[in-house]
Amino acid sequence: MATANSVSRLTTRAGAARPRPDPRVARWIRTELRTAPPKARSLIVTVWGDAIAPHGGSVWLSGLIRLLAPFGINERLTRTSVYRLAREGWLAARQDGRRSLYRLTPEGSRRFEHAYRRIYAPPADRWDGGWDVVVAPPKAIAKRLRHDLRKELGWEGFAALGPWLFVRPSGSADSAALPDTLRALQTERQIAVLAARDVAGAQPLDAFARECWNLQSVAAEYRRFIARFGRVIRAFDAGTGHPQQCFVVRTLLIHEFRRVSLHDPQLPAELLPADWPGPAAYRLCRDFYRRTHQCAEQHLAATLETGRGALPPAAPYFYERFGGL
């Protein structure tokens, strides 16, 4: 498994020959950015969570502008999007003359950690048949807050059996994330969270809940994802990869996988169709990440700086992604 020191040596070794950009990868990137250009704010969330957070979570705005330029995100869009993320509480700014240093806030760190645990963690392989149940009485929560609660619970894998009852298979998501979500919404004292099991002889809960998850739509998204990125990933099999291309393709890969996986309730295999494509999409991400993370880290180190100088090595948890890099 790679270590932070080995990547640091790799990025600073004097005289190392830099590979040339692969024209096939360049064509794929141009086509992707022309046909499906990422939105600046959403892409910054991906870049910060995937690449910047493991290196301490703070960078100069000028470096972020350089990092996003290959995605077709210009300086004005970057500045506007970062400013909005700061207003929403994700980032905080520090001025040093005419330069701006942005860092993750504690709330931003919580949001990133929550979202990205779903991306990098291997799918659960066992289910004990239990259920997590959230009960939100109609009179206890305001209408606007109920909308936010339903959206957040949906990202946590819950299905709505009604306007006040939500269920998911136990163990299908990070158990620590639900209390954090309820505290962030300030609803932990208005709702009840229960553990439940089916009663022998009664209708099992999955007979009702399965209809509430749009598995067909999620499966179609996974299949499009595999077809879309499978083509370019094959171009990396023959060589070491160009650092900027490794970073750009990895970022677009994680950006799209994040979007699809947040729609995935991450149900246990017992509740999924036999041909469910989620594990294949995860393996595609895992294998590409393992193959290219060193050259992508080279690009980051060459492009970004922090308030203390060079970008620090990635934190140990970075190398635990996808079961170990």
Side-chain angles (χ1 to χ4, degrees):
M1 184 172 70
T3 66
N5 289 335
S6 68
V7 173
S8 178
R9 289 194 300 269
L10 187 63
T11 60
T12 58
R13 188 173 57 195
R18 292 176 61 87
R20 295 177 179 272
D22 187 317
R24 297 168 299 172
V25 176
R27 286 194 297 271
W28 184 91
I29 291 173
R30 287 195 301 270
T31 300
E32 281 293 304
L33 296 180
R34 184 178 66 251
T35 58
K39 294 182 179 179
R41 181 190 176 281
S42 181
L43 184 67
I44 290 172
V45 169
T46 294
V47 168
W48 220 293
D50 183 61
I52 297 175
H55 292 276
S58 66
V59 292
W60 292 108
L61 179 59
S62 56
L64 183 64
I65 290 169
R66 291 193 299 272
L67 192 66
L68 296 177
F71 298 92
I73 307 297
N74 61 33
E75 179 177 346
R76 180 183 62 82
L77 278 175
T78 300
R79 290 182 179 276
T80 300
S81 300
V82 168
Y83 175 74
R84 289 175 178 171
L85 286 168
R87 289 191 62 182
E88 294 168 7
W90 292 73
L91 303 173
R94 190 193 85 195
Q95 294 298 128
D96 184 0
R98 300 183 64 180
R99 304 178 74 191
S100 299
L101 183 78
Y102 280 87
R103 61 172 176 81
L104 282 175
T105 63
E107 176 61 15
S109 296
R110 183 196 70 82
R111 294 178 186 177
F112 279 121
E113 183 180 358
H114 179 193
Y116 283 87
R117 277 196 298 248
R118 289 173 59 93
I119 294 174
Y120 306 117
D125 57 357
R126 292 186 179 182
W127 178 43
D128 65 0
W131 298 87
D132 299 328
V133 180
V134 171
V135 182
K139 295 183 179 180
I141 301 176
K143 183 178 180 180
R144 173 63 183 173
L145 188 55
R146 184 174 297 278
H147 174 270
D148 293 340
L149 176 65
R150 180 173 183 142
K151 180 175 68 174
E152 292 285 342
L153 290 177
W155 287 340
E156 295 291 340
F158 282 89
L161 294 186
W164 54 273
L165 186 64
F166 306 86
V167 300
R168 74 178 179 192
S170 60
S172 60
D174 184 359
S175 60
L178 179 57
D180 288 346
T181 297
L182 299 181
R183 280 193 293 269
L185 293 173
Q186 299 182 344
T187 57
E188 69 270 31
R189 296 185 180 275
Q190 284 77 43
I191 71 174
V193 180
L194 311 173
R197 301 191 73 86
D198 294 328
V199 175
Q203 181 82 310
L205 189 55
D206 69 273
F208 305 106
R210 198 177 307 191
E211 299 178 1
C212 302
W213 288 299
N214 189 358
L215 297 181
Q216 185 175 1
S217 174
V218 176
E221 289 189 75
Y222 272 134
R223 292 190 177 98
R224 284 193 292 269
F225 169 82
I226 293 168
R228 175 180 170 187
F229 286 92
R231 292 190 295 271
V232 69
I233 284 175
R234 286 191 289 272
F236 287 83
D237 290 338
T240 57
H242 181 265
Q244 180 176 296
Q245 289 184 333
C246 286
F247 176 76
V248 170
V249 175
R250 187 186 83 176
T251 299
L252 292 175
L253 178 86
I254 293 298
H255 186 64
E256 183 63 13
F257 189 64
R258 176 175 73 92
R259 187 191 67 79
V260 179
S261 65
L262 289 178
H263 295 158
D264 182 359
Q266 298 188 336
L267 302 180
E270 294 89 333
L271 300 180
L272 291 171
D275 60 345
W276 183 248
Y282 178 85
R283 289 192 298 270
L284 185 148
C285 282
R286 179 198 64 197
D287 294 348
F288 185 75
Y289 215 93
R290 288 175 175 174
R291 183 183 301 134
T292 62
H293 77 275
Q294 290 185 342
C295 69
E297 291 291 292
Q298 288 181 31
H299 181 66
L300 282 172
T303 307
L304 299 180
E305 291 183 344
T306 72
R308 297 181 178 181
L311 195 70
Y317 77 80
F318 173 81
Y319 299 96
E320 298 171 3
R321 290 176 171 178
F322 294 108
L325 302 179

